[in-house]
Amino acid sequence: MSWPIRLEDVRAARERLRPHLAPTPLARYPGLDALAGCRVLLKHEEKNPTGSFKARNGLSVVAAPCEEKRRRGVVAATRGNHGLGLAWAGARLGVPVTICVPRGNSPLKNDAMRALGVRLVEEGRDYDEAVAVMERLSRAEGLRQVHSTNDPLVIAGAATLTWEIHEQADDLDAMVVAVGGGSQAVGALTVLRELRPGVAVFGVQAAGASAIHDSWHAGRPLEKDAADTFADGLATRKTYALTFPALREGLAGFTAVPDAAIADALTALRDVTGTTPEGAGAAGFAGLLRLKERLAGRTVAVVLSGANIDPETLRGALG
């Protein structure tokens, strides 16, 4: 297969991000070690602007040279963090941004995107239908599409967090990465297979939105009728052409966890670290707990990918 990005693409993304983003911390917590039965390295991506790793992805696209993009603008579909990251990058660099969200999307996230100056379009029943709206607007208005996963510049931006982990971690045996569309996981695979080829990468999805997990195990793309999880960053119904072949080839394993397990991981991270992650931000640690026996005694990196959870969703998850 043709790998979607090269290490050189990640190096170029790091240079684009360098003037705007500082490296995020990689921290160790004895309480997490005790729960997981291994040495846990937690990457605090909620320290980025807009509270998630998606600031990397948006900036990687918007900071890439393209005069036509700067004049016409960009368009994306999101449930929140991808749109927030792109909105922040657009506001920082003066690029017009249109964001498509499904009806009933989080009002707090919608308001946060509007506050950054985006045009917000509310249409569709879920993320995948919002993607169709994005594609329609791109064709009609000549806007540059920025898919949350299916874009090489997005994947290169996500990969920069793993390059930082490589520089920050003296020892590393494995990473457990939450998968919504796969940009973070494919980014990790791209970096580690070149810089630390002995490190295994495991994927984790929500059991109620397990299209990519099920496809990985089936060996072919599958599509679901619905994505049912409070972890909205993982709420996708199908695979993506740019990431699925790389996930299929590169992941050492792939597990699915129910929302109750994600909620338990969220609670543990909050209690131990003092940070309350969103569902997608806790899913990596939930996956590590599911893989506890397999990774016992190892040094494992987990990404706290974001902390943008609204109070109603948090109450529901913990209830």
Side-chain angles (χ1 to χ4, degrees):
M1 60 159 283
S2 176
W3 201 262
I5 61 169
R6 302 166 300 145
L7 190 66
E8 185 56 40
D9 299 319
V10 187
R11 183 178 285 108
R14 295 192 85 198
E15 292 306 311
R16 293 195 297 277
L17 270 56
R18 196 181 305 278
H20 308 282
L21 293 177
T24 57
L26 185 71
R28 178 95 181 269
Y29 299 91
L32 298 184
D33 293 357
L35 289 170
C38 64
R39 295 176 295 277
V40 182
L41 305 179
L42 189 67
K43 184 66 166 165
H44 279 281
E45 286 295 290
E46 85 286 358
K47 301 296 186 183
N48 280 308
T50 76
S52 89
F53 83 100
K54 296 285 189 174
R56 298 176 184 269
N57 302 12
L59 192 60
S60 177
V61 175
V62 171
C66 178
E67 289 305 315
E68 183 71 6
K69 174 190 66 193
R70 291 182 180 277
R71 183 172 67 82
R72 289 180 178 268
V74 299
V75 60
T78 188
R79 291 293 301 269
N81 283 341
H82 176 56
L84 282 167
L86 192 63
W88 172 79
R92 190 172 181 88
L93 296 178
V95 175
V97 176
T98 297
I99 298 295
C100 305
V101 299
R103 290 184 296 272
N105 197 53
S106 164
L108 288 178
K109 290 181 179 179
N110 288 354
D111 289 345
M113 287 183 280
R114 287 193 182 99
L116 288 165
V118 306
R119 174 177 60 149
L120 195 74
V121 179
E122 299 178 72
E123 188 177 339
R125 68 186 174 98
D126 60 13
Y127 167 75
D128 290 297
E129 290 194 358
V131 168
V133 178
M134 171 192 74
E135 293 169 344
R136 188 187 74 220
L137 290 176
S138 175
R139 290 190 299 269
E141 301 179 16
L143 305 175
R144 199 274 196 202
Q145 290 184 36
V146 186
H147 193 280
S148 62
T149 294
N150 222 33
D151 188 307
L153 293 179
V154 165
I155 298 171
T160 62
L161 75 87
T162 299
W163 198 317
E164 288 178 14
I165 291 174
H166 162 68
E167 293 176 334
Q168 294 165 324
D170 293 331
D171 298 311
L172 186 63
D173 297 310
M175 278 186 70
V176 181
V177 184
V179 176
S183 67
Q184 193 184 137
V186 173
L189 289 166
T190 301
V191 171
L192 294 173
R193 73 178 192 156
E194 295 288 338
L195 300 182
R196 291 202 186 191
V199 175
V201 180
F202 296 84
V204 55
Q205 275 201 307
S210 62
I212 300 178
H213 165 273
D214 296 352
S215 299
W216 190 87
H217 285 280
R220 60 185 176 86
L222 303 172
E223 186 168 342
K224 301 285 187 177
D225 293 329
D228 183 14
T229 175
F230 81 92
D232 55 6
L234 307 182
T236 54
R237 294 190 281 111
K238 58 185 179 181
T239 63
Y240 298 98
L242 207 58
T243 54
F244 179 65
L247 294 172
R248 186 80 182 89
E249 178 181 320
L251 289 180
F254 206 155
T255 188
V257 292
D259 274 12
I262 298 175
D264 287 344
L266 187 159
T267 301
L269 288 167
R270 179 196 61 183
D271 292 348
V272 173
T273 72
T275 296
T276 301
E278 59 196 79
F285 188 62
L288 174 55
L289 296 178
R290 178 61 61 92
L291 295 165
K292 184 175 181 176
E293 290 186 8
R294 184 167 180 179
L295 296 174
R298 307 289 185 86
T299 300
V300 184
V302 175
V303 182
L304 199 167
S305 59
N308 295 321
I309 187 166
D310 61 77
E312 183 178 353
T313 301
L314 179 61
R315 285 193 296 270
L318 298 184

